[in-house]
Amino acid sequence: MADTKYIFVTGGVTSSLGKGIIAASLAKLLQARGYKATIQKLDPYINVDPGTLNPYEHGECYVTDDGAETDLDLGHYERFLNVRTSQANNVTTGRIYQSVIEKERKGEFLGKTVQVVPHITNEIKERIQILGNSGEYDIVITEIGGTVGDIESLPYIEAVRQLMWELGDNNGIVVHLTLVPFLSAAGELKTKPTQHSVKTLMESGIKADILVCRTEHDLSDDLREKLALFCNVRREAVIQSIDASTIYDVPKLMLAEGLDKVALKKLDLPEKNHPDLENWDAFLERHKNPKHEVTIGLVGKYVELQDSYKSILESFIHAGAENEVSVKVETIHSEYIDEATIKNKISHLDGILVAPGFGERGIEGKVDTVRYAREHKIPFLGICLGMQMAVIEFARNVLGLKDANSTEMVQDTPYPVIDLMEEQKDITDKGGTMRLGAWKCVLKENSLAREIYGEETIMERHRHRYEFNDKYKEQIEAAGLKATGYNPDTGLVEIVELPGHPWFIGVQYHPEYKSTVASPHPLFVAFVKAALKYKKEKNSATLA
Ligand code: GLN
């Protein structure tokens, strides 16, 4: 066994307490002290990955460089730590069972009854230790999805119990995140739900080492003493996690509470240096003290749930801070955009982003939106489906190819300007079969994309089945919409832009997956800058 130490993060009382943010914040602090830390998320659902889930179910599906479709918490890990995650960082019950069943079919357990304990729990333990055994990390933080007491989580909790025992003292600790609710009628914070959830954990043989308590009000000393005594943790291991105005405040709040110090002490590791958070602080300073404001419309069909576009919203925070601009994102439902409503919904915006998506619902509103942005010269960024809509709009309204469409929406469209790739045509399985992960893209000289990236070859992450149809490339380019980025191996078009328009770009890939606090994505940075320029020019024109 490598020398790696393990921190397990469990949750109690309710879901949605932000285990991912606490895990990412703790990892950030450990990283800032000079430790190599990574995070893993174990999800107790039976889907093999979240790729087949509707965003309304579980929020955005995040994609890693190696093409894994993963939980959106991995996005937080990358954004906080600025390190790449991979397939190994997200494991679901579906994947665990799939692999155990495959082994059973191969005869690896020949003669044995295959059971949750030990076969499923062993598989979980193996998956937890893959990252640790790679030798790349000093500390692996494993977040167990769900809430203790859930039927689904039981095998994970048992695997953690066994692993804690196998790892031995000071090599593994459990951080338990709970809620300390405020009862306004009584005017009091209540500790009982936390006591119960710690007890539930105990019944499974796990003792929490550190309690992180989500709360709307400060925990008094008395309350901390009480929690320590009744939950059987040291006084300094009762950590308050008070509601913050931004998730990016959480690492500093955890630092002030000493979460990293207690964790290191329990793992018998030295504190090393005081966390170096200079760049983080500089980012927060810019984020909280913007000099300007822009309003950007995010046009999509999953807008009712903010988590559906998590990475895009976070990318705007990074790009806004970089430009010292507060980016107000106005989410607009594409289904309700039509000729009658468009002016009202769109004309005041300083920039328009047409979002990724699947299926037919709401696409005509997206096409109308692109047209408005193109004709009124409003800065425009189309991502994935948004880029495809830009091509369709151009084909219909500039080239006059009436009813041009993607074969995803209308199979027998007369002008399939967006079509299925040849190698996708025989695929019928839905899970994990799209064009996924990082692919190379070459940027043409003298293009806006090349200017923005400042490099000739980039790597960006993909998640789609349909592509710009090469058959229409010449015709579309001749009419003015230029293909300025392409895949050097397949020739597939990855970027379109409109010279003559102040800022109009559509990208087949997802830039939002790669934006981090330490390294805001250049495309978002340039988009926000273009929106600000547009706003200033619009204002000076009205004044004149
Ligand atoms: N539905 C489109 C495709 O599969 C776009 C996907 C996306 O926006 N991620 O190609």
Side-chain angles (χ1 to χ4, degrees):
M1 204 173 282
D3 301 333
T4 312
K5 307 252 180 177
Y6 292 85
I7 300 176
F8 301 101
V9 181
T10 57
V13 185
T14 78
S15 58
S16 307
L17 288 181
K19 282 198 293 286
I21 301 296
I22 293 296
S25 300
L26 176 55
K28 180 79 217 165
L29 294 177
L30 297 172
Q31 183 194 50
R33 283 186 183 273
Y35 284 101
K36 276 185 274 159
T38 189
I39 319 185
Q40 180 186 46
K41 168 97 191 262
L42 305 182
D43 273 312
Y45 51 69
I46 296 177
N47 302 65
V48 170
D49 60 44
T52 51
L53 289 175
N54 183 317
Y56 289 128
E57 290 277 321
H58 219 68
E60 160 193 282
C61 171
Y62 185 77
V63 179
T64 57
D65 269 347
D66 67 347
E69 295 177 281
T70 72
D71 186 80
L72 57 79
D73 272 345
L74 266 72
H76 291 309
Y77 306 161
E78 290 206 8
R79 289 188 281 272
F80 274 54
L81 300 179
N82 200 36
V83 294
R84 299 290 168 227
T85 56
S86 70
Q87 182 72 75
N89 296 79
N90 189 198
V91 179
T92 68
T93 296
R95 200 171 285 282
I96 299 280
Y97 271 82
Q98 188 185 43
S99 126
V100 170
I101 291 169
E102 272 167 17
K103 287 181 186 165
E104 186 274 336
R105 291 289 84 184
K106 281 193 202 142
E108 283 186 32
F109 313 115
L110 220 50
K112 294 270 181 248
T113 310
V114 181
Q115 294 178 294
V116 172
V117 182
H119 300 96
I120 295 297
T121 45
N122 282 350
E123 184 73 27
I124 295 173
K125 286 194 288 180
E126 243 172 66
R127 297 288 180 142
I128 292 175
Q129 290 176 101
I130 284 179
L131 289 165
N133 291 343
S134 71
E136 277 180 60
Y137 306 103
D138 305 314
I139 300 168
V140 176
I141 302 180
T142 299
E143 176 193 345
I144 317 288
T147 309
V148 291
D150 290 351
I151 292 175
E152 281 104 336
S153 310
L154 284 175
Y156 292 101
I157 298 291
E158 170 59 11
V160 170
R161 187 196 67 76
Q162 291 184 16
L163 206 50
M164 288 283 286
W165 184 83
E166 287 165 19
L167 288 165
D169 291 348
N170 308 118
N171 291 324
I173 57 168
V174 172
V175 175
H176 190 56
L177 175 63
T178 72
L179 175 72
V180 177
F182 180 75
L183 284 196
S184 41
E188 265 182 344
L189 288 164
K190 290 294 184 189
T191 65
K192 195 73 85 187
T194 298
Q195 295 182 43
H196 278 297
S197 107
V198 168
K199 191 173 149 199
T200 308
L201 204 54
M202 287 273 225
E203 281 166 6
S204 305
I206 294 179
K207 181 188 164 310
D209 295 289
I210 299 175
L211 267 190
V212 178
C213 306
R214 275 298 301 272
T215 173
E216 288 172 35
H217 301 277
D218 281 313
L219 302 180
S220 64
D221 282 342
D222 285 353
L223 215 77
R224 289 178 190 241
E225 296 281 351
K226 184 174 171 186
L227 280 163
L229 179 65
F230 291 117
C231 297
N232 212 12
V233 298
R234 294 277 149 229
R235 168 65 183 75
E236 77 262 23
V238 176
I239 305 289
Q240 151 180 313
S241 171
I242 202 150
D243 290 355
S245 63
T246 156
I247 54 169
Y248 298 106
D249 272 338
V250 181
K252 294 298 289 277
L253 291 172
M254 291 302 105
L255 179 68
E257 287 282 313
L259 174 61
D260 53 332
K261 277 193 186 180
V262 198
L264 288 171
K265 188 169 154 197
K266 293 204 173 282
L267 290 170
D268 202 17
L269 287 171
E271 285 178 13
K272 293 196 183 175
N273 50 291
H274 186 74
D276 175 8
L277 292 168
E278 205 182 311
N279 292 338
W280 191 269
D281 286 339
F283 155 77
L284 277 176
E285 181 69 24
R286 286 194 305 272
H287 172 54
K288 292 187 175 177
N289 300 292
K291 298 201 168 86
H292 312 275
E293 185 184 283
V294 295
T295 306
I296 293 196
L298 170 60
V299 179
K301 68 169 174 177
Y302 310 112
V303 292
E304 299 90 339
L305 184 71
Q306 289 268 317
D307 275 359
S308 308
Y309 301 111
K310 195 82 212 161
S311 295
I312 291 178
L313 297 175
E314 297 304 320
S315 299
F316 277 126
I317 291 178
H318 310 152
E322 188 72 10
N323 283 295
E324 297 184 283
V325 170
S326 153
V327 181
K328 243 179 74 200
V329 179
E330 221 174 276
T331 48
I332 303 167
H333 208 309
S334 57
E335 233 181 324
Y336 308 130
I337 294 177
D338 55 32
E339 266 179 44
T341 58
I342 193 153
K343 190 158 182 274
N344 208 353
K345 288 183 187 281
I346 305 277
S347 60
H348 62 288
L349 299 168
D350 307 316
I352 295 172
L353 189 152
V354 174
F358 293 84
E360 201 189 355
R361 185 167 66 94
I363 70 141
E364 290 306 321
K366 288 188 171 177
V367 173
D368 291 347
T369 302
V370 181
R371 179 175 196 164
Y372 198 94
R374 180 175 59 76
E375 292 182 344
H376 292 82
K377 298 206 177 328
I378 303 175
F380 167 83
L381 174 60
I383 298 183
C384 208
L385 185 70
M387 173 266 202
Q388 298 175 354
M389 292 303 122
V391 174
I392 291 168
E393 188 280 319
F394 193 83
R396 285 186 192 172
N397 301 323
V398 178
L399 283 177
L401 304 179
K402 196 170 166 298
D403 297 329
N405 216 323
S406 161
T407 50
E408 178 183 3
M409 318 305 164
V410 179
Q411 262 196 353
D412 58 353
T413 164
Y415 304 109
V417 288
I418 303 293
D419 197 8
L420 215 50
M421 288 178 283
E422 222 29 69
E423 58 271 31
Q424 283 282 344
K425 289 192 174 152
D426 297 324
I427 296 177
T428 50
D429 280 4
K430 294 284 181 245
T433 55
M434 284 189 252
R435 173 145 86 109
L436 290 166
W439 294 77
K440 255 192 210 154
C441 171
V442 174
L443 307 176
K444 291 218 174 122
E445 256 177 85
N446 302 320
S447 62
L448 180 58
R450 178 78 170 260
E451 185 193 316
I452 290 169
Y453 279 91
E455 328 179 54
E456 189 184 356
T457 308
I458 55 166
M459 291 286 275
E460 291 282 7
R461 300 182 198 172
H462 291 245
R463 180 170 186 255
H464 59 105
R465 250 179 249 288
Y466 294 82
E467 301 278 355
F468 184 110
N469 187 344
D470 220 38
K471 283 190 208 126
Y472 291 90
K473 190 166 150 205
E474 230 182 274
Q475 205 179 347
I476 288 177
E477 285 210 294
L481 184 68
K482 303 289 184 197
T484 56
Y486 60 95
N487 179 305
D489 305 314
T490 58
L492 287 169
V493 172
E494 308 282 34
I495 306 178
V496 293
E497 54 185 79
L498 204 56
H501 185 289
W503 208 95
F504 186 104
I505 295 193
V507 291
Q508 184 58 80
Y509 51 82
H510 291 262
E512 72 274 21
Y513 294 144
K514 280 182 76 172
S515 188
T516 69
V517 166
S519 172
H521 197 286
L523 214 57
F524 278 89
V525 173
F527 182 39
V528 170
K529 193 183 255 165
L532 183 62
K533 183 163 179 266
Y534 172 82
K535 181 183 173 179
K536 283 184 177 164
E537 284 169 6
K538 188 169 63 175
N539 286 351
S540 56
T542 357
L543 289 176

